[in-house]
Amino acid sequence: MADTASGSYGNGGSSNDADDIEFPILCETCLGDNPYVRMTKEKLGKECKICSRAFTIFRWLPGRGMRYKKTEICPTCAKLKNVCQTCILDLEHGLPVQVRDSMLGMQDEVPREESNRRDYLAKMASRLEVLGDPLDFSGKTQPAGRGALQRMARKSPYYKRNRAHVCSFFVKGQCTRGSECPYRHEMPDGDPELAKQNIVDRYHGNNDPVARRMLARSRKSENTLTAPTDKSITSLFVTGMDGLAQADLLGHFGAYGELKSVAVVPKGNCAFVNFKSRAGAEAAAAAALGGCVIKEKPVRLAWAKPRPKGPESEVAARAGGKASSGDHRRQELPNGIPLPPGAQKDRKPAAYPSQDPTAQGAAASRGS
């Protein structure tokens, strides 16, 4: 790792020892998939975009065909929000700060005025050195919000985010570099509103277009737990119950109403909770809005679908009267298969000997 000396500049002032670190605070996506990544380190090379203090910056190439990335905020500001120094996303879930704070019910406590912000950051920096992390961003106190964050988070790093930016001259039709241009030669196909992002707003969790879209999508998915119009449906479908037993479901859903039964499907990692009344099922569904947590494990709920009524039962219901008053002489096997003509007691006489199974070979024996 290269090390370049530099002095502080601008209004950043001096930097404390906490901002001079050996390795930046990064998420797995920003670091890249190259295990042999090389970084350049410059002490006090830039001022933080949040607190305006000089800090040690790092610059690296996350992978082949990617763009060079660098740290944007100081380590102290990153620790206060538990975010990456480059993308300003939550380190645990990889989500915007506004999404995380909304789900966990947290408020931004960093002052916006420069003088108050400096005093606040100085106090929090000393608190970090003594007590460690001052805030809990894991969501242990808000299990429902943590379950929602786990459902919204990506399961693997999104390295596509490290690609080079689109060439603005190519979009205008004026790029003359050709294959030597370090930017992508393609037309932008995303929402232009998502490109209007500000690091300060993303850090404080305000006016983030990406976060607004994710929250709107999450609310839309939560509203799908509406009660069906069929009042005969009194069952809920539970999925994602890793390690949960039938007794856990009985103890949780029994508080909302009397249960008829709980059927657990181990292979499908799901279960059906059957209530005796519709009111109990609706109370459990209403309590699950925003997330359902059982034994500190988030699960997903949905209304069960009614059992399909096949045409055979309808035909049998319509033909029930005819079957009793009609051909009562017809005899059938238990599976509904009619007996052969020779086995029926009330069979009609056959018109020809060949049509009578009991008469086959009888004429020949009499003739002989």
Side-chain angles (χ1 to χ4, degrees):
M1 179 182 296
D3 190 356
T4 306
S6 176
S8 60
Y9 64 94
N11 298 327
S14 60
S15 173
N16 54 18
D17 297 336
D19 294 335
D20 186 12
I21 56 179
E22 295 297 330
F23 196 82
I25 303 174
L26 301 174
C27 63
E28 191 173 355
T29 299
C30 291
L31 185 59
D33 57 349
N34 183 11
Y36 306 103
V37 63
R38 300 180 62 183
M39 292 186 177
T40 59
K41 175 182 177 182
E42 184 177 0
K43 293 183 178 180
L44 308 180
K46 193 178 181 182
E47 62 181 16
C48 176
K49 293 185 178 181
I50 304 300
C51 63
S52 302
R53 294 188 306 168
F55 71 104
T56 300
I57 64 171
F58 295 84
R59 190 172 182 268
W60 70 97
L61 184 65
R64 187 175 183 180
M66 306 298 177
R67 71 179 186 273
Y68 276 92
K69 309 197 76 172
K70 63 182 183 300
T71 51
E72 303 290 347
I73 62 176
C74 65
T76 302
C77 293
K79 291 178 181 179
L80 290 178
K81 289 285 189 177
N82 193 36
V83 296
C84 173
Q85 286 188 255
T86 300
C87 64
I88 325 298
L89 295 179
D90 181 69
L91 291 174
E92 184 173 355
H93 305 287
L95 297 172
V97 175
Q98 185 174 349
V99 175
R100 182 198 64 191
D101 293 351
S102 299
M103 292 298 178
L104 300 182
M106 305 181 67
Q107 300 292 333
D108 181 33
E109 299 180 355
V110 181
R112 297 302 182 88
E113 298 181 0
E114 184 177 356
S115 58
N116 296 336
R117 183 171 60 241
R118 287 185 178 182
D119 296 339
Y120 176 83
L121 292 175
K123 294 179 181 179
M124 296 305 295
S126 60
R127 185 177 178 181
L128 283 172
E129 296 177 0
V130 178
L131 301 178
D133 295 336
L135 296 176
D136 181 19
F137 296 97
S138 61
K140 295 180 180 179
T141 58
Q142 297 286 342
R146 183 180 183 182
L149 290 177
Q150 291 177 353
R151 292 192 297 268
M152 298 172 63
R154 288 185 177 272
K155 306 303 180 183
S156 59
Y158 186 61
Y159 297 122
K160 192 176 179 180
R161 197 175 64 204
N162 298 330
R163 295 185 304 168
H165 294 295
V166 177
C167 180
S168 59
F169 289 93
F170 175 80
V171 175
K172 300 176 183 178
Q174 301 176 359
C175 184
T176 59
R177 293 185 178 183
S179 59
E180 298 181 356
C181 182
Y183 300 97
R184 287 185 292 151
H185 280 193
E186 60 184 51
M187 299 301 293
D189 54 355
D191 189 356
E193 183 66 21
L194 300 181
K196 301 177 182 179
Q197 301 185 41
N198 184 278
I199 290 183
V200 178
D201 291 338
R202 290 170 59 188
Y203 180 82
H204 292 286
N206 296 322
N207 301 324
D208 189 350
V210 178
R212 287 199 301 266
R213 173 169 293 189
M214 296 182 69
L215 290 174
R217 190 184 307 166
S218 175
R219 296 189 187 100
K220 185 178 180 180
S221 62
E222 291 176 359
N223 293 335
T224 57
L225 198 61
T226 55
T229 56
D230 189 358
K231 297 297 183 180
S232 63
I233 302 177
T234 59
S235 301
L236 296 177
F237 182 58
V238 185
T239 57
M241 41 179 298
D242 297 327
L244 294 177
Q246 184 180 19
D248 300 330
L249 299 180
L250 289 171
H252 179 80
F253 292 102
Y256 301 102
E258 189 176 357
L259 298 177
K260 183 187 301 181
S261 63
V262 175
V264 179
V265 185
K267 292 184 179 180
N269 197 24
C270 59
F272 290 91
V273 181
N274 305 313
F275 288 85
K276 286 189 175 182
S277 63
R278 176 61 177 260
E282 292 180 352
L289 290 176
C292 179
V293 179
I294 304 176
K295 296 290 184 180
E296 298 184 357
K297 294 182 179 180
V299 296
R300 302 193 68 177
L301 292 185
W303 282 93
K305 297 181 180 180
R307 292 184 178 181
K309 298 179 180 180
E312 296 181 358
S313 59
E314 298 177 0
V315 173
R318 290 196 302 266
K322 297 181 180 179
S324 59
S325 61
D327 189 10
H328 62 283
R329 298 175 300 174
R330 185 176 182 180
Q331 301 177 7
E332 296 180 351
L333 294 175
N335 294 333
I337 303 175
L339 294 173
Q344 296 180 4
K345 297 180 181 181
D346 53 350
R347 63 183 178 86
K348 297 180 180 180
Y352 300 97
S354 61
Q355 296 179 352
D356 189 355
T358 61
Q360 298 295 324
S365 62
R366 289 196 298 269
S368 60

